[in-house]
């Protein structure tokens, strides 16, 4: 879950400021969900490279708050441009998604084919809870002030419409490591392979260019982890701590998180995990986001992690990392959101 993994899709990463004039402008629900010519279905910045700072917001929508939420989502691209314009090198971006229970309330009409509530997993030793979440915002930039400014403005505009269930400020740590000391995201696909892994294709043409976002927040028992010898930690992770080289470690975290397709090829997702913490409160964690063309692949990984599978037990890393949230969202393509401002 924190070490990296492949899927299939379409599209490419687009800088946030580049979408003006290019995103499809549509009127009415039918136009928003109709198949669009290849090249015009632009994704939200799901594929953008990792940033130095991130803020993650998960919220539920209050009764009657749907209109305010639609207004914010429809103006999101312009809001990002406005906040980020004075700092063009800041790389400010925001990905927004909606949960299964909120989809009909917000949009009506058709819905993404595989959107459903997060499926709770309860094993004999480990638990992946399902927690409330109608809206998801993944804000990232090279600077903390840009993330803060955009998060503050979103919360201000949504203050009476939503209840914020979780707000996590995350950061890059040393050389792409998590707070357990291991490099994170090693197996992430890049370029077209990342688009293939993360973005919906012709299997759901009305939502081509969208992505499923599976979100979990993990807390680590760093005292127990640090008490282990490095060799024991490496056996749990399946990689060397210093060099990040893959080890032959059956049943390790990396091994459990490898999912093979019917043809024997490894199935990929696009991971966007970042560390967070409050040392004074004894809080050390990883905020995990899996962007995927289909939620079935990260869900298969979670089942292997928490419940075990043929020939392997649960993920040994879960003895030191505890999931405290779990939600599934659909991230519509950029044109879908911008069309809200025309409807």
């Amino acid at each position: 879950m924190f070490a990296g993994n492949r899927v299939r899709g379409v599209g490419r990463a687009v800088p946030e400021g580049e979408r003006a004039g290019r995103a499809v402008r549509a009127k009415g629900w039918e136009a928003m969900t109709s198949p669009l010519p290849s090249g015009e279905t632009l994704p939200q910045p799901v594929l953008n490279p990792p940033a130095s700072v991130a803020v993650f917001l998960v919220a539920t929508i209050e009764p009657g708050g749907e209109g305010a939420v639609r207004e914010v989502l429809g103006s999101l691209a312009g809001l990002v441009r406005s906040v980020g314009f004075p700092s063009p090198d800041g790389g400010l971006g925001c990905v927004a998604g909606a949960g299964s229970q909120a989809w009909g309330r917000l949009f009506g009409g058709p819905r993404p084919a595989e959107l459903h509530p997060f499926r709770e997993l309860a094993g004999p030793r480990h638990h992946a809870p399902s927690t409330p979440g109608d809206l998801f915002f993944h804000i990232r930039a090279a600077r903390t002030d840009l993330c803060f400014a955009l998060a503050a403005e979103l919360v201000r505009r949504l203050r009476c419409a939503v209840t914020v269930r979780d707000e996590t400020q995350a950061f890059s740590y040393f050389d792409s490591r998590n707070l357990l000391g291991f490099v994170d995201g090693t197996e992430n696909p890049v370029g077209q392979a990342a688009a293939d892994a993360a973005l919906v294709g012709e299997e759901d043409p009305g939502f081509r260019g969208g992505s499923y976002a599976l979100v979990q927040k993990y807390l680590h028992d760093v005292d127990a982890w640090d008490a282990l010898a490095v060799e024991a930690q490496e056996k749990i992770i399946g990689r060397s701590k210093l060099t990040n080289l893959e080890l032959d470690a059956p049943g390790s975290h990396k091994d459990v998180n490898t999912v093979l397709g019917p043809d024997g090829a490894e199935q990929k997702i696009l991971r966007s995990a970042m560390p967070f913490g409050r040392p004074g409160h004894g809080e050390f964690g990883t905020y995990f986001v899996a962007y995927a063309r289909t939620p079935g692949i990260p869900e298969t990984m979670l089942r292997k992690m928490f419940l075990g599978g043929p020939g392997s037990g649960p993920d040994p890393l879960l003895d030191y990392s505890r999931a405290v949230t779990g939600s599934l969202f659909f991230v519509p393509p950029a044109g879908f959101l911008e069309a809200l401002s025309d409807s």
Side-chain angles (χ1 to χ4, degrees), residues 208-265:
R208 187 174 69 245
S211 183
Y212 292 90
L214 188 149
V215 176
Q216 288 182 298
K217 186 174 181 177
Y218 286 83
L219 295 177
H220 308 317
D221 185 346
V222 294
D223 290 337
W225 180 257
D226 289 342
L228 296 175
V230 170
E231 292 79 6
Q233 294 178 355
E234 292 175 334
K235 184 177 180 181
I236 290 171
I237 297 295
R239 292 185 177 276
S240 66
K241 193 169 188 177
L242 178 62
T243 65
N244 192 41
L245 294 177
E246 186 175 332
L247 304 175
D248 182 15
S252 66
H253 170 71
K254 184 193 179 303
D255 184 47
V256 170
N257 274 268
T258 299
V259 174
L260 302 180
D263 60 355

Side-chain angles (χ1 to χ4, degrees), residues 277-284:
R278 297 185 299 167
H281 293 76
E283 182 180 86
F284 302 85

